[in-house]
C-alpha cells in the first residue's frame, strides 16, 4: 500500500506491524521539516503507547513544544512537527492536541493500550484521508491507489456516488467512488476498534452517530466559528483592515516554516498577490514566485502576475501552456486524481506545480480567499439580480431566463467584445448561468445549484442517486443569501473541489502547497467581518483589497477574475476535438454502464455548434471515461 503513495512521499518510507493486534501501518515521507532520521515515520511516542502516521504540517508546533515543556523538561529527538504532535497527543489526548494545532494534516493514530485506531483531518480539509471496509479488512490511506494495491481488494463503483459526481464534478465527502470506502470529514476524528472489522456500517459514519466499534466526533466546527464571529462583528473598516492584515501576516509567517526551499504561486489576482506581498515582507528576501500563461488573452494572467512581481521585487518564473502540453497532462489525470474528478483547472494547476517543483519544494497559495471573503460572482450577482427583479413575478423571471438562454454563448461572447460593453471573460458561460438561476424558481438552494452544478436538468445516468444529504445541504439560519452560499462553499466546494484539485496536482510531483487564508484564525476573522465589508458597492473581497492596496497599487489589481483556468472550451472545439470526439462517440459512451449516452451526445453537438458552453459538463464525462479505463 505504501509503495502506491511513493509520489506523495518520495524522500523516506517506513512500515510498522503488530501481528498480535492485527494492524500494520505504512508511511511515505515528503521531508519538509527536520530532514534527519528524527522525522522518520511511523512515529512512536516516548511513552510507548501511541504509533502515528501523519501527512501535513503543524505550523505552530514550536508554540506547542513550549506548552508541553511547561509541564516538565522534554528530551526531544529532533525538531520535527511529527514528534511535537505525538507528544501533544500523549499530553492532552488526540482531540485536545488537535484543538491546539494550527495546520493542515491527515493522520492515523494507533493506541496500543486501548487497541483503537483514530483517523483525523484538518479543519477545512486540505489533506485527504480515505478509510473503509473491504473483504474483511479495514483500510485507511491518503489515496485510493493504495487500496487498489491490496491483494483481493474489491473495487465496486457505487452508482449512487457516480450520480453525485455528475452533480458536483467531484466526489463529495464523506463518499468515495467505491462502495464501502469513505472520506474522513474535515475537522473530525473517527475512532474504530477491532469489532468494527466484522460489522462494517451500512452508511458513512457521521457526527454524532455511533455504531458498534465506531465513534465520530468533531474537534472543530465551522458553525461554532461562524456563530462566535457573528456575535462579535467588527463593523469599523479601519479596525477590520488592521485586524485582517495582522492575522494574515501571522499565518503567512507561520507557514514559511520549512527546512527546504519555499516559494509562492502568483496569478496577479487579489488573493495570491496579497499572500506574496506579506510573504516578501515576512522573510525579508526575494520570494520565488511562479505563474503560468495561455495564448488566450481573456484567460492569460501572466502579464498581470509579472507586473505585480516586478513591483514587489520577487524572483519571478512564468511558463506558458500549449494545447500539446495540456494533452500530455490530460492522459495522466485519472491516475493523479485517484477517483473521477473534473475541475478543468486541474490541468493548469498540475503544470504549474510541476514547474514550481523544479525550484522549490513548498509553495504558498491564495486558496480560500474567495470562499471566506466573498470572491465568487454568485455572491455578488444573486442579490443584485433578485432584488432588482423582485417586482417581477416568478413567471416573468423564468421568461427572462429563457430569453437569455436563447442567445448562444458564442453570440454573448461576441457581444462582450463590443466597445460599450464592460469586459467580462467568458460572458456567454456566465449569462447562461444567470439564465439558469432565473429559471430556478427563486429558492436559494436552487439558485446555488444553478451556479455550481453543471447537469442541472438531470445527470446523464440512468440510475438516479438516492444520496442527497451533503454538507452543502446544511442550512445555517440567520445568514444572508451571500453568507449562506459562502458557508456551503466552505463546507463542500472548497474541500471537495478546490483543495482536492490542488493537493493531488501538487503532491503528484512532490510539491507541498500551503494556504495561509485557511489558517484557523483567518477563518475566524472572516466570520467576524460583516458582509458589508466583504462585498461593498458591488465589489467582491473588499476587505482583502484594502489590505492589498497597502502593498500593491490598485491599478495593478482591478480587472475581471480569471485565475488559473484553461481555455478548454475553445480547445475542445479545436486542437483537442479529435481526442474528445473519440471518447464521446456513441460506441465509446455505450461502454460505460448506466451512462445516458444520448444526453451526452446532445450536449457535445450543442457545444460544437457554439450555442452552449458545456465544457464543464463534458469534462465530467471525459474524466469518468479516462478514470474507468486507467483505474
Amino acid at each position: 500500500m505504501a509503495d502506491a503513495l511513493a509520489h506523495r512521499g518520495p524522500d523516506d518510507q517506513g512500515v510498522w506491524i503488530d501481528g498480535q493486534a492485527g494492524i500494520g501501518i505504512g508511511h511515505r515521507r515528503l521531508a519538509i521539516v527536520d530532514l534527519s532520521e528524527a522525522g522518520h515515520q511511523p512515529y512512536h511516542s516516548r511513552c510507548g503507547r501511541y504509533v502515528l502516521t501523519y501527512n501535513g504540517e503543524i505550523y505552530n508546533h514550536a508554540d506547542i513544544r513550549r506548552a508541553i515543556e511547561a509541564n516538565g523538561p522534554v528530551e526531544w529527538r529532533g525538531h520535527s512537527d511529527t514528534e511535537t504532535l505525538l507528544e501533544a497527543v500523549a499530553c492532552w489526548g488526540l482531540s485536545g492536541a488537535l484543538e491546539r494545532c494550527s495546520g493542515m494534516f491527515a493522520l492515523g493514530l494507533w493506541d496500543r493500550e486501548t487497541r483503537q485506531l483514530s483517523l483525523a483531518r484538518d479543519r477545512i480539509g486540505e489533506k485527504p484521508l480515505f478509510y473503509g471496509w473491504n473483504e474483511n479488512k479495514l483500510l485507511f490511506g491518503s489515496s485510493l491507489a493504495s487500496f487498489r494495491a491490496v491483494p483481493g481488494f474489491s473495487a465496486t463503483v457505487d452508482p449512487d456516488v457516480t450520480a453525485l459526481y455528475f452533480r458536483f464534478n467531484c466526489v463529495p465527502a464523506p463518499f468515495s467512488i467505491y462502495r464501502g470506502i469513505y472520506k474522513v470529514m474535515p475537522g473530525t476524528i473517527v475512532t474504530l476498534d477491532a469489532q468494527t472489522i466484522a460489522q462494517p456500517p451500512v452508511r458513512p459514519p457521521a457526527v454524532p452517530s455511533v455504531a458498534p466499534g465506531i465513534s465520530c466526533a468533531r474537534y472543530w466546527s465551522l458553525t461554532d466559528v461562524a456563530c462566535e464571529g457573528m456575535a462579535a462583528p467588527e463593523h469599523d473598516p479601519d479596525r477590520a483592515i488592521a485586524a485582517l492584515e495582522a492575522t494574515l501576516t501571522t499565518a503567512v509567517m507561520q507557514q514559511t516554516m520549512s527546512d527546504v526551499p519555499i516559494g509562492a504561486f502568483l496569478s496577479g489576482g487579489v488573493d495570491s498577490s496579497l499572500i506574496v506581498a506579506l510573504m516578501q515582507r515576512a522573510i525579508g528576501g526575494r520570494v520565488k514566485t511562479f505563474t503560468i500563461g495561455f495564448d488566450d488573452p481573456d484567460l492569460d494572467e501572466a502579464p498581470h502576475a509579472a507586473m505585480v512581481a516586478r513591483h514587489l521585487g520577487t524572483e519571478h518564473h512564468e511558463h506558458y501552456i500549449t494545447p500539446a502540453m495540456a494533452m500530455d497532462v490530460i492522459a495522466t489525470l485519472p491516475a493523479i486524481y485517484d477517483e473521477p474528478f473534473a475541475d478543468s483547472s486541474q490541468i493548469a494547476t498540475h503544470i504549474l506545480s510541476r514547474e514550481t517543483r523544479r525550484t522549490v519544494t513548498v509553495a504558498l497559495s491564495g486558496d480560500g480567499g474567495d470562499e471566506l471573503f466573498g470572491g465568487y460572482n454568485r455572491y455578488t450577482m444573486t442579490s443584485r439580480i433578485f432584488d432588482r427583479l423582485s417586482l417581477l413575478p416568478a413567471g416573468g423571471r423564468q421568461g427572462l431566463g429563457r430569453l437569455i438562454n436563447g442567445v448562444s454563448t458564442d453570440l454573448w461572447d461576441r457581444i462582450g467584445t463590443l466597445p460599450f460593453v464592460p469586459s467580462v471573460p467568458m460572458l456567454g458561460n456566465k449569462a447562461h448561468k444567470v439564465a439558469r438561476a432565473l429559471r430556478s424558481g427563486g429558492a436559494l438552494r436552487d439558485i446555488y445549484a444553478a451556479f455550481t452544478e453543471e447537469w442541472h436538468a438531470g445527470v446523464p445516468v440512468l440510475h438516479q442517486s438516492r444520496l442527497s444529504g451533503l454538507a452543502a445541504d446544511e442550512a445555517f439560519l440567520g445568514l444572508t443569501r451571500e453568507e449562506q452560499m459562502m458557508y456551503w462553499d466552505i463546507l463542500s466546494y472548497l474541500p471537495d473541489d478546490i483543495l482536492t484539485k490542488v493537493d493531488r496536482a501538487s503532491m503528484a510531483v512532490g510539491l507541498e502547497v500551503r494556504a495561509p487564508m485557511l489558517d484557523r484564525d483567518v477563518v475566524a476573522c472572516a466570520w467576524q467581518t460583516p458582509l458589508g465589508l466583504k462585498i461593498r458597492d458591488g465589489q467582491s473581497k473588499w476587505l482583502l483589497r484594502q489590505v492589498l492596496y497597502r502593498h500593491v497599487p490598485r491599478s495593478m489589481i482591478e480587472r475581471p477574475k480569471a485565475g488559473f483556468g484553461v481555455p478548454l472550451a475553445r480547445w475542445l472545439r479545436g486542437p483537442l476535438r479529435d481526442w474528445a470526439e473519440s471518447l464521446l462517440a456513441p460506441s465509446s459512451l455505450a461502454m460505460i454502464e448506466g451512462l445516458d449516452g444520448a444526453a451526452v451526445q446532445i450536449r457535445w453537438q450543442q457545444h460544437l455548434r457554439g450555442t452552449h458552453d458545456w465544457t464543464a459538463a463534458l469534462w465530467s464525462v471525459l474524466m469518468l471515461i479516462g478514470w474507468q479505463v486507467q483505474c
Side-chain angles (χ1 to χ4, degrees):
M1 289 182 73
D3 286 348
L5 298 171
H7 59 285
R8 296 185 66 90
D11 298 327
D12 190 18
Q13 60 181 314
V15 175
W16 174 83
I17 296 173
D18 184 339
Q20 194 174 29
I23 185 170
I25 297 176
H27 184 78
R28 296 291 310 211
R29 184 184 186 204
L30 175 63
I32 303 292
V33 176
D34 193 343
L35 310 185
S36 73
E37 278 294 309
H40 179 78
Q41 296 188 46
Y43 213 95
H44 298 252
S45 64
R46 287 183 304 129
C47 64
R49 178 174 172 177
Y50 300 106
V51 184
L52 174 70
T53 182
Y54 146 73
N55 168 219
E57 304 293 343
I58 306 299
Y59 304 123
N60 64 336
H61 88 101
D63 296 335
I64 292 175
R65 282 197 173 201
R66 284 190 285 275
I68 294 171
E69 289 164 350
N71 298 323
V74 179
E75 190 171 331
W76 299 101
R77 300 170 198 162
H79 66 278
S80 80
D81 55 332
T82 308
E83 183 180 10
T84 309
L85 174 60
L86 195 48
E87 291 309 314
V89 171
C91 276
W92 302 306
L94 181 56
S95 183
L98 296 183
E99 288 169 8
R100 290 168 169 82
C101 287
S102 174
M104 61 172 182
F105 49 81
L107 64 86
L109 179 76
W110 175 245
D111 186 332
R112 304 179 75 174
E113 187 175 299
T114 63
R115 292 199 169 195
Q116 289 181 319
L117 175 69
S118 293
L119 307 173
R121 275 178 92 190
D122 59 72
R123 292 171 175 81
I124 303 296
E126 294 178 75
K127 286 297 173 186
L129 185 53
F130 297 88
Y131 70 111
W133 292 258
N134 197 275
E135 301 298 320
N136 296 317
K137 300 183 187 74
L138 174 62
L139 308 170
F140 74 96
S142 298
S143 163
L144 289 177
S146 63
F147 289 42
R148 291 191 288 268
V150 175
F153 177 73
S154 177
T156 304
V157 172
D158 189 330
D160 285 334
V161 174
T162 303
L164 279 185
Y165 160 74
F166 278 117
R167 281 182 61 191
F168 300 103
N169 276 18
C170 60
V171 176
F175 305 104
S176 86
I177 193 65
Y178 294 133
R179 181 173 289 151
I181 306 296
Y182 307 112
K183 299 182 181 98
V184 176
M185 293 295 286
T188 299
I189 300 171
V190 179
T191 302
L192 310 114
D193 61 30
Q195 67 171 304
T196 188
I197 295 176
Q199 295 178 289
V202 295
R203 59 180 62 87
V207 178
S209 67
V210 178
I214 307 171
S215 66
C216 196
R218 286 196 184 101
Y219 67 90
W220 185 86
S221 160
L222 177 65
T223 305
D224 291 347
V225 171
C227 287
E228 291 166 9
M230 294 170 68
E234 179 53 83
H235 290 287
D236 182 83
D238 292 335
R239 286 201 297 269
I241 293 167
L244 176 58
E245 178 159 16
T247 306
L248 195 51
T249 297
T250 300
V252 168
M253 289 180 69
Q254 283 189 338
Q255 296 194 22
T256 56
M257 172 192 76
S258 175
D259 292 332
V260 295
I262 186 169
F265 293 163
L266 177 62
S267 72
V270 173
D271 305 333
S272 65
S273 297
L274 179 53
I275 295 299
V276 170
L278 298 180
M279 186 180 178
Q280 180 91 346
R281 188 175 64 176
I283 68 173
R286 295 186 75 197
V287 172
K288 295 178 174 62
T289 53
F290 304 86
T291 196
I292 50 172
F294 310 98
D295 61 355
D296 186 329
D298 281 348
L299 295 176
D300 184 20
E301 295 206 311
H304 305 290
M307 196 183 311
V308 173
R310 280 195 298 275
H311 174 77
L312 293 174
T314 71
E315 178 188 314
H316 192 56
H317 305 252
E318 66 179 26
H319 189 79
Y320 271 77
I321 298 177
T322 66
M325 291 176 191
M327 197 61 239
D328 288 343
V329 168
I330 288 169
T332 68
L333 291 177
I336 289 174
Y337 280 86
D338 227 8
E339 62 180 349
F341 182 84
D343 179 335
S344 62
S345 62
Q346 63 197 121
I347 301 169
T349 305
H350 179 64
I351 294 175
L352 174 64
S353 297
R354 187 184 67 197
E355 297 306 314
T356 301
R357 184 62 178 89
R358 297 184 195 280
T359 306
V360 300
T361 311
V362 178
L364 269 56
S365 82
D367 290 315
D370 289 318
E371 295 81 0
L372 289 169
F373 293 96
Y376 291 127
N377 289 329
R378 53 182 169 269
Y379 306 147
T380 53
M381 292 171 71
T382 298
S383 288
R384 191 185 307 167
I385 293 170
F386 283 86
D387 288 348
R388 289 180 182 175
L389 300 178
S390 59
L391 297 179
L392 202 62
R397 290 198 299 269
Q398 290 171 356
L400 180 59
R402 284 192 291 273
L403 279 176
I404 296 172
N405 198 58
V407 178
S408 73
T409 52
D410 267 5
L411 182 54
W412 278 116
D413 287 340
R414 288 199 292 275
I415 292 171
T417 64
L418 297 175
F420 55 84
V421 176
S423 175
V424 179
M426 299 184 290
L427 177 61
N429 183 286
K430 290 171 182 171
H432 278 205
K433 284 189 176 182
V434 169
R436 291 205 296 264
L438 289 170
R439 297 168 67 184
S440 67
L444 183 59
R445 187 63 185 85
D446 294 333
I447 295 170
Y448 181 75
F451 281 116
T452 58
E453 298 182 17
E454 300 301 332
W455 291 93
H456 46 88
V459 295
V461 291
L462 302 176
H463 174 98
Q464 295 301 313
S465 178
R466 294 167 296 176
L467 304 174
S468 60
L470 303 171
D473 282 332
E474 292 184 18
F476 183 6
L477 297 177
L479 298 181
T480 64
R481 289 172 180 152
E482 296 85 349
E483 290 167 332
Q484 180 66 68
M485 288 191 281
M486 290 180 214
Y487 177 77
W488 284 332
D489 279 337
I490 297 169
L491 283 177
S492 189
Y493 178 68
L494 181 60
D496 296 330
D497 185 312
I498 300 296
L499 299 178
T500 296
K501 175 190 67 181
V502 174
D503 174 79
R504 307 303 191 278
S506 57
M507 293 300 283
V509 292
L511 177 75
E512 179 172 283
V513 177
R514 302 172 176 176
M517 296 278 188
L518 301 181
D519 174 87
R520 58 179 178 178
D521 294 332
V522 176
V523 174
C525 183
W527 283 101
Q528 277 190 300
T529 304
L531 182 63
L533 295 184
K534 292 179 179 175
I535 301 172
R536 197 165 193 174
D537 300 326
Q539 188 177 49
S540 64
K541 293 190 286 197
W542 183 86
L543 192 66
L544 279 180
R545 291 175 193 272
Q546 306 317 304
V547 179
L548 178 59
Y549 297 154
R550 294 178 168 187
H551 306 275
V552 177
R554 183 186 299 248
S555 59
M556 289 188 185
I557 301 299
E558 298 306 340
R559 66 182 187 281
K561 178 184 178 67
F564 288 128
V566 298
L568 193 59
R570 182 167 58 81
W571 288 356
L572 285 175
R573 296 183 183 112
L576 301 186
R577 176 172 175 168
D578 289 346
W579 165 77
E581 201 139 53
S582 67
L583 293 179
L584 298 177
S587 57
S588 299
L589 297 173
M591 292 190 296
I592 306 297
E593 184 178 354
L595 186 66
D596 185 349
V600 175
Q601 264 294 316
I602 288 172
R603 290 207 173 188
W604 176 232
Q605 296 307 320
Q606 289 175 335
H607 185 83
L608 290 178
R609 289 196 297 271
T611 59
H612 294 73
D613 180 356
W614 293 129
T615 305
L618 295 168
W619 191 243
S620 67
V621 179
L622 292 166
M623 288 296 97
L624 176 65
I625 295 172
W627 179 81
Q628 289 219 342
V629 169
Q630 290 190 30
C631 299

